[in-house]
Structure formats: structure tokens, C-alpha cells
């Protein structure tokens, strides 16, 4: 069964200017990258055969984390994706700022979401 990673930066406000909620297939996770001491970025493939050559920016989720806890958060995310127990619950909530639910105690917020417009 396919797994999905869920992120919410806040309550949906019904505008198209900003994304508040996104769910990505876990197998589209490209990489996790430290941005600064309190920020971790998760990049996803946009679906093109070669995202790097498409000229389209990769979808990115920016997570706010406890200072210097990048490794612990990366371990939690990759562990949840690899976990056999996730088979029966395919949606993995990584960061839901609207409901204060986080995959790991060192994730404190979903700061922003930037996705590729599919329209």
C-alpha cells in the first residue's frame, strides 16, 4: 500500500494564493535539507520525468524544529516512511500546525508549503 505524508501550516482559508494543506506520496520525497538551525526543508518530486530539467521548482515543505535537532527529525520521518505499521495507516501526519499534531516532539510547526500548480 502506498504511503502519504501530510502537512498543514494552518487552517485552510479558501484562497489560492497560499497553500495551507498538502499531502504528498512518500515515494516522491526527494530529500530533506537543513536550511538553518531551526528549519528543515522537505523537497518532493513534482511528477515530471526529470524535475531538474523541467524548469519547475520542486514542491517544498518548510518545517520549524527545535534548534539543532535535524538528525532526530530526519530519523523520525524516514523511520515512519519505512515502518511496517504504516501499512494499515497509509497517511503519516508529519506536521499539522492547525491541530498541533507532529510526528516528532522536535517538530514545532509547518512554517510553509510551496507546491507546483497542477492546473
Amino acid at each position: 500500500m502506498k504511503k502519504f505524508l501530510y502537512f498543514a501550516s494552518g487552517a485552510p482559508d479558501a484562497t489560492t494564493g497560499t497553500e495551507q494543506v498538502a499531502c504528498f506520496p512518500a515515494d516522491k520525497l526527494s530529500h530533506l535539507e537543513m536550511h538553518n538551525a531551526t528549519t528543515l526543508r522537505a523537497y518532493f518530486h513534482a511528477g515530471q520525468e526529470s524535475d531538474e530539467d523541467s524548469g519547475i521548482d520542486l514542491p517544498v515543505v518548510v518545517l520549524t524544529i527545535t534548534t539543532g535537532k535535524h538528525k532526530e527529525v530526519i530519523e523520525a520521518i524516514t523511520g515512519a516512511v519505512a515502518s511496517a505499521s504504516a501499512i494499515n495507516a497509509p497517511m503519516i501526519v508529519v506536521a499539522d500546525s492547525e491541530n498541533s499534531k507532529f510526528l516528532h516532539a522536535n517538530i514545532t510547526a509547518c512554517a510553509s508549503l510551496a507546491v507546483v500548480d497542477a492546473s
Side-chain angles (χ1 to χ4, degrees):
M1 178 176 286
K2 200 165 187 162
K3 298 176 190 177
F4 296 86
L5 302 175
Y6 177 85
F7 303 90
S9 61
D13 65 8
T15 65
T16 58
T18 59
E19 278 70 283
Q20 289 83 24
V21 176
C23 191
F24 299 96
D27 63 358
K28 295 293 183 185
L29 179 63
S30 168
H31 62 284
L32 299 161
E33 175 182 278
M34 175 183 151
H35 179 65
N36 60 38
T38 60
T39 306
L40 181 72
R41 291 181 176 178
Y43 292 89
F44 294 86
H45 293 289
Q48 287 77 18
E49 270 187 44
S50 176
D51 292 322
E52 289 126 20
D53 297 332
S54 69
I56 297 173
D57 290 336
L58 294 178
V60 63
V61 176
V62 179
L63 301 174
T64 304
I65 64 169
T66 305
T67 301
K69 295 298 182 178
H70 299 85
K71 181 181 178 198
E72 292 84 346
V73 172
I74 290 169
E75 286 176 336
I77 294 169
T78 57
V81 169
S83 173
S85 65
I87 291 172
N88 294 326
M91 190 173 83
I92 301 163
V93 177
V94 176
D96 182 351
S97 292
E98 178 185 8
N99 296 300
S100 298
K101 295 189 185 292
F102 303 101
L103 177 66
H104 191 274
N106 287 318
I107 300 172
T108 60
C110 179
S112 67
L113 302 164
V115 299
V116 176
D117 188 359
S119 59

